[in-house]
């Protein structure tokens, strides 16, 4: 077993499981870069190890449909396409999201999507994989038990033991217990919430909170959440029905998720309850619920535009209620606060985590639930994955407390080989692995994608674009300045000058009051990247550096 | 009354109170810039309004000794020095910190420090100011009641109602109640914790947690906290005495705070309990407690260096316990997590907020305590200060719930004049105000300080320094590149080239494993700033832009 991502970090989950001539991939996740990694759109795992073993490679298995488990597929599939059609297994919702992604990137021809229901087992040579239903913050999530001649390993995926999930049934404890009784060699466990004592509250808490807030609301209700959060749309529909409102969805990514969920029957609202945005906006305010993107304060998403009174259609003010149904991802705290401040400035009532804990709950198991998983499966070994280093270290303590021998808790590293045999487990060497940076121009199916790893990062050159802007007015104080390294063309100087002109025009066209920082970073990158490609046919790494003072 | 800072933001608290010919300043705070404001050391209020009225200006009054209430003094005092000696009033601890600051900046000759005890009243022409004891996370904090011919206004400073503070007595409720009975015109209230229901836990909780953790610890104990947090040193001494340990302090700013507190008697440990770092390090591990700086993950502070095994004296490992006794300030979450991860890598046990809520408590009033203040003072008007916009908006709701007329809750803005008269209150215009950016070279009393406001920000030019480094190895991928705008000297090009050489040498000298990001940003700024000043005798704004990929 080799993790190629998702250990010592949150995001880009991917694990290789290999026995003899059979190799499968569990999950294929991407990670959104931190704020200071300005030029980068997504970080994905290095799959060199798999590319070198295409003959043994059998399939990709997905635990659930979140970006950190499926988001790398559009970039990994082309790398494995000599093995096409690549079989991808997962529950229908996860595969629905995957299909949309791959269609958009024109990669659907390289894969064969094979939906499974939890409880099903699929054979891959000497390995077989069983999908076991777990609860998470997306419906139809699974743990995957991989049976091999040396024993069974269980990858929990992301899970919690939610006794009253809002969509689907509770975690399949009977099946987990039976696996434990038959003998589990190793448990690869989600650990991200090991810091938190007790159990994570049920999704039911969020439903109740939303019902309560909607029942009291006088004006419009806007519920902001993650793009893939089907269950919040479900909750909005529930609250709307009880309160004679209708629901619309705002934000392209959320609309797409909703469409997938409707097509597959995960959402099945009565006729006329889920309508399009224009229709909801023709209703009186007290009959509207809008589910929107932007719960992380992203500058270009619906909520930030609503808060800045810059949304093309949605206006909010006194009497309206905004529910921010998400926790800020580490690094996003300030942009979220800023968005909330703006909503208060508009006169809205804002219901958010710091004020009302019921407005969002985690999808991950608290410490008691992590213990329960160990007790159900009684593994010989535990391997903490899906967490930062501190989570892994704390999970080790928890394992020992639950009877696992200290030397049977294995702290993996990315690319580190964990070998299980009749004699026990050993950590044996490291395969090629690491971060691949995805750089793409435009966000709508533009095929111009460049993958960069540490060896070719700056092969096509680096262009640093520096802007200093006034934080309040957005006025340019200095720049734009383009500094290039390694542009190997006689036309480089002219191309840079053109790019600078394009950029100046773009910056002049900005509307006053436009959401600033993230928007400017993204648009700068696009504008300069396009100009240089047009002239030089090369894709240097563009690092937009926007300093607000 | 005119807030010149501290409204709609956390930090740089300063309020002008003026009646007839008498003008006093309440607090004189600085604000640490957010991470992306790379070139800036501190943000302070614009005091043009006060400079224009030096004849009426009577004194600066300080509520307590935290940076966001006293930190701007070294930059404001020189601006008001035509009025020297400037009387500064505060309790002895606050003035102790101020004295150290001003001595270091050679500004002590311009001020006259006048210590007051809580309960005292000082006259300034037709105004008089009464210091009322409150609890906070620093000893000897005060609210200030300003009595004027039109009525009494009360500025709470930062406060909570801590029934069992670890140093000093509880908030002087009888006095607040009496003020309320006599009639309070306006309450200017701390609001930063209005989002949180209930009351903030007592400092006693932290003492108990530290006692408990120290009693169980087998190895060294390191307690990381804020530089001014005298009360954590007090707690460490308490725990040390009970457990046959000795205490030392690591980190220059914390050492200075401890010295002030010892001199003034706020700390009064038995002989031999508080020793210097070298002495503590000669003791066996199980007899050591080290109180260190770096609770915010600051790259150059003691804790980050300890975590990276780069501290010149302190080494930690298995069996050692690290207590991170602070909450991450918004924007610092990731650096704090990174430091904690590193401590786990060293094998330490780490006790921090996400794991054990008792390890730190806020110094600010929860919602119930904010209500209690309103109920005690029964003001005609409330004015939320010391918070972001959302805090102010929520405090308005809370005021109305407590019987304040909706139109008697005034949401001030920076520079906005609130005028109180027999006829009521009006918001009347705005005086010159805003952010002044402090730019200094070196951090040890270097007198080379440049203040920049929006009009002169780039008067001496801007130099953007771009570096791209590998996140893991710290190796340079691109840069350093220096891009200058507005350097008005014929020697500019040569000077930039020299600065670039200096910078390259500095970067080459870095030790492997050295804490990277913040350290590189700070040292880059210093190196380039020094080189340019040496050659050009000018202080352009240096914006180091370090991108890690």
């Amino acid at each position: 077993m080799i993790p190629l991502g998702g250990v010592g970090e949150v995001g880009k989950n991917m694990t290789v499981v290999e026995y003899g001539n059979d190799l499968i991939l569990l999950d294929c996740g991407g990670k959104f870069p931190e704020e200071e990694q300005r030029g980068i759109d997504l970080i994905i795992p290095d799959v060199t190890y798999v590319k070198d073993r295409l003959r043994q490679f059998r399939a990709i298995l997905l635990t659930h449909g979140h970006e950190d488990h499926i988001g790398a597929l559009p970039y990994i599939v082309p790398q494995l396409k000599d093995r096409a059609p690549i079989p991808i297994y997962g529950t229908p919702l996860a595969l629905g999201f995957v299909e949309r992604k791959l269609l958009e990137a024109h990669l659907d021809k390289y894969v064969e999507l094979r939906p499974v229901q939890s409880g099903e087992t699929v054979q891959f040579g000497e390995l077989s994989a069983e999908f076991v239903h777990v609860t998470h913050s997306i419906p139809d999530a699974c743990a995957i038990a991989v049976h091999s001649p040396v024993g069974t390993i269980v990858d929990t995926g992301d899970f919690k033991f939610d006794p009253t999930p809002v969509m689907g049934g509770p975690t399949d404890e009977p099946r987990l217990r039976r696996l434990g009784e038959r003998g589990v060699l190793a448990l690869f466990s989600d650990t991200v919430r090991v810091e938190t004592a007790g159990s994570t509250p049920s999704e039911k808490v969020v439903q109740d909170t939303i019902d309560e807030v909607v029942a009291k609301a006088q004006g419009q209700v806007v519920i902001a959440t993650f793009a893939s959060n089907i269950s919040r749309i479900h909750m909005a529909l529930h609250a709307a029905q009880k309160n004679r409102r209708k629901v619309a969805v705002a934000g392209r990514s959320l609309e797409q998720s909703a469409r997938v969920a409707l097509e597959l029957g995960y959402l099945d609202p009565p006729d006329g309850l889920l309508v399009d945005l224009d229709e909801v906006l023709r209703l009186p305010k007290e009959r509207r619920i809008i589910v929107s993107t932007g719960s992380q304060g992203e500058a270009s998403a619906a909520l930030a535009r609503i808060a800045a009174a810059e949304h093309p259609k949605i206006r909010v003010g006194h009497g309206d209620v905004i529910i921010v149904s998400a926790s800020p991802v580490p690094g996003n705290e300030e942009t979220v606060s800023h968005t909330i401040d703006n909503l208060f400035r508009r006169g809205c009532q804002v219901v958010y985590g710091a004020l009302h804990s019921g407005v969002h709950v985690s999808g991950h198991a608290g410490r008691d639930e992590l213990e329960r998983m160990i007790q159900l499966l009684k593994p010989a070994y535990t391997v903490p994955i899906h967490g930062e280093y501190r989570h892994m270290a704390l999970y080790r303590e928890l394992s020992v407390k639950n009877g696992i021998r200290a030397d049977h808790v294995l702290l993996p590293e990315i690319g580190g080989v964990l070998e299980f045999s009749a004699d026990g487990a050993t950590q044996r060497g490291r395969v090629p692995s690491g971060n691949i940076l995805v750089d793409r121009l435009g966000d709508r199916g533009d095929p111009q994608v460049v993958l960069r790893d540490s060896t070719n990062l700056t092969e096509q050159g680096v262009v640093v674009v520096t802007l200093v802007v006034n934080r309040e007015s957005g006025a340019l104080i200095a720049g734009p300045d383009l500094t290039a390294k390694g542009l190997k063309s006689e036309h480089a100087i002219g191309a840079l000058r053109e790019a600078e002109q394009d950029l100046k025009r773009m910056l002049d066209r900005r509307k006053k009051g436009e959401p600033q920082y993230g928007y400017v970073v993204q648009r700068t990158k696009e504008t300069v990247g396009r100009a240089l490609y047009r002239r030089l046919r090369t894709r240097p790494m563009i690092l937009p550096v926007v300093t607000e003072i």
Side-chain angles (χ1 to χ4, degrees), chain A:
Chain A
M1 174 270 190
I2 310 167
L4 294 180
V7 306
E9 66 178 10
V10 174
K12 72 177 180 69
N13 293 288
M14 178 185 279
T15 304
V16 169
V17 181
E18 196 178 3
Y19 181 86
N21 283 318
D22 302 300
L23 183 159
I24 57 177
L25 272 182
L26 305 184
D27 286 326
C28 192
K31 177 180 176 171
F32 291 105
E34 291 162 28
E35 193 270 316
E36 73 264 33
Q37 294 170 295
R38 291 138 203 291
I40 298 154
D41 293 298
L42 192 71
I43 302 173
I44 63 170
D46 182 336
V47 292
T48 301
Y49 184 79
V50 184
K51 281 196 283 187
D52 291 347
R53 279 160 191 75
L54 275 190
R55 203 182 289 251
Q56 288 95 296
F57 170 57
R58 303 280 167 249
I60 299 173
L61 283 65
L62 305 173
T63 57
H64 63 285
H66 277 155
E67 284 300 306
D68 55 337
H69 292 257
I70 69 168
L73 280 168
Y75 313 103
I76 300 293
V77 162
Q79 298 183 55
L80 306 179
K81 68 174 194 263
D82 288 347
R83 171 65 182 84
I86 302 164
I88 303 182
Y89 292 84
T91 54
L93 184 62
L95 292 191
F97 290 153
V98 166
E99 185 174 29
R100 171 179 58 79
K101 270 183 191 299
L102 296 181
L103 276 172
E104 212 171 59
H106 308 294
L107 294 168
D108 47 306
K109 58 182 172 292
Y110 300 122
V111 303
E112 202 173 288
L113 302 181
R114 299 185 180 171
V116 292
Q117 298 297 335
S118 58
E120 281 187 42
T121 297
V122 190
Q123 199 73 30
F124 306 99
E126 291 192 271
L127 296 173
S128 70
E130 178 182 352
F131 289 77
V132 182
H133 177 69
V134 297
T135 48
H136 182 41
S137 49
I138 187 170
D140 257 9
C142 290
I144 297 178
V146 182
H147 306 289
S148 80
V150 291
T152 296
I153 62 174
V154 178
D155 177 343
T156 63
D158 295 345
F159 79 101
K160 61 178 175 176
F161 287 100
D162 187 338
T164 51
V166 170
M167 301 177 76
T171 296
D172 189 352
E173 287 190 56
R175 183 62 204 155
L176 293 169
R177 185 172 299 111
R178 270 202 304 281
L179 283 169
E181 285 161 2
R182 285 200 207 158
V184 169
L185 179 60
L187 160 61
F188 301 113
S189 181
D190 177 3
T191 62
V192 302
R193 240 171 104 80
V194 65
E195 293 168 329
T196 310
S199 294
T200 300
S202 170
E203 293 285 320
K204 179 77 167 49
V205 171
V206 183
Q207 176 75 75
D208 293 346
T209 305
I210 290 179
D211 284 351
E212 186 196 318
V213 172
V214 172
K216 280 195 207 151
Q218 307 289 317
Q220 302 176 92
V221 175
V222 177
I223 304 174
T225 189
F226 286 100
S228 59
N229 206 330
I230 296 308
S231 113
R232 292 296 180 277
I233 303 178
H234 178 87
M235 291 179 190
L237 291 166
H238 185 268
Q241 196 160 24
K242 284 172 68 172
N243 294 283
R244 297 198 55 247
R245 290 175 182 252
K246 294 188 177 205
V247 177
V249 163
R252 180 174 161 276
S253 53
L254 196 62
E255 282 162 27
Q256 289 199 337
S257 299
R259 201 166 304 134
V260 170
L262 283 168
E263 280 165 13
L264 295 170
Y266 287 88
L267 293 176
D268 187 16
D271 266 0
L273 190 62
L274 182 62
V275 298
D276 74 19
L277 186 58
D278 292 326
E279 188 174 336
V280 117
L281 293 173
R282 282 194 294 268
L283 295 173
K285 291 191 172 183
E286 66 277 10
R287 299 206 47 210
R288 304 178 190 164
I289 297 181
I290 298 164
V291 185
S292 86
T293 53
S295 59
Q296 294 300 313
E298 310 93 310
S300 57
L303 190 65
R305 295 189 168 269
I306 293 170
E310 287 286 337
H311 193 277
K313 296 180 177 175
I314 304 168
R315 288 285 169 277
V316 295
H318 289 277
D320 294 335
V321 180
I322 319 294
I323 302 175
V324 184
S325 185
S327 302
V329 168
N332 290 349
E333 292 85 354
E334 283 187 88
T335 53
V336 173
S337 293
H338 186 70
T339 304
I340 292 173
D341 281 335
N342 276 346
L343 290 166
F344 272 112
R345 284 197 180 91
R346 305 256 87 75
C348 302
Q349 183 196 343
V350 192
V351 189
Y352 55 105
L355 211 53
H356 196 321
S357 63
V359 92
H360 179 69
V361 298
S362 169
H364 296 271
R367 213 183 299 150
D368 286 358
E369 294 162 282
L370 294 172
E371 288 196 303
R372 194 150 140 207
M373 187 60 91
I374 298 173
Q375 289 159 5
L376 284 169
L377 293 176
K378 302 189 199 73
Y381 294 85
T382 61
V383 185
I385 53 176
H386 310 180
E388 310 274 348
Y389 191 88
R390 64 188 180 283
H391 302 127
M392 292 166 50
L394 291 167
Y395 187 83
R396 176 167 53 192
E397 282 176 31
L398 196 73
S399 294
V400 170
K401 181 174 162 245
N402 282 277
I404 309 294
R405 284 172 44 177
D407 62 339
H408 279 201
V409 186
L410 309 175
L411 263 52
E413 55 176 349
I414 290 178
V417 180
L418 299 185
E419 195 172 296
F420 296 93
S421 70
D423 304 331
T426 44
Q427 292 184 275
R428 193 188 295 274
R430 220 178 139 175
V431 308
S433 56
N435 286 335
I436 304 287
L437 312 181
V438 177
D439 200 349
R440 66 187 165 207
L441 286 190
D443 56 354
R444 311 221 170 175
D446 186 320
Q448 292 295 344
V449 172
V450 185
L451 301 185
R452 307 179 197 274
D453 65 25
S454 56
T455 61
N456 75 357
L457 205 51
T458 56
E459 207 170 60
Q460 301 192 56
V462 185
V463 177
V464 181
V465 186
T466 309
L467 297 171
V468 184
V469 298
N470 182 301
R471 176 179 296 263
E472 275 151 45
S473 68
L476 263 186
I477 292 172
D481 282 311
L482 278 70
T483 311
K485 270 278 155 71
L487 281 189
K488 301 180 199 84
S489 161
E490 52 185 314
H491 306 298
I493 290 172
L496 285 168
R497 207 168 292 142
E498 258 177 47
E500 192 179 310
Q501 291 309 320
D502 283 7
L503 185 55
K504 276 187 182 142
R505 272 192 296 274
M506 184 280 282
L507 292 167
D508 287 345
R509 274 197 308 268
R510 280 178 310 162
K511 271 182 282 184
K512 205 174 157 349
E514 188 118 38
Q516 297 294 335
Y517 183 80
Y519 177 82
V520 172
V521 167
Q522 191 53 41
R523 294 280 289 132
T524 295
K525 195 191 142 197
E526 282 169 22
T527 306
V528 173
R530 289 220 172 97
L532 295 179
Y533 185 73
R534 196 172 56 226
R535 184 76 182 264
L536 304 175
R537 295 283 136 185
T538 181
R539 288 278 185 224
M541 180 156 201
I542 315 285
L543 295 176
V545 174
V546 179
T547 302
E548 293 184 314
I549 54 179

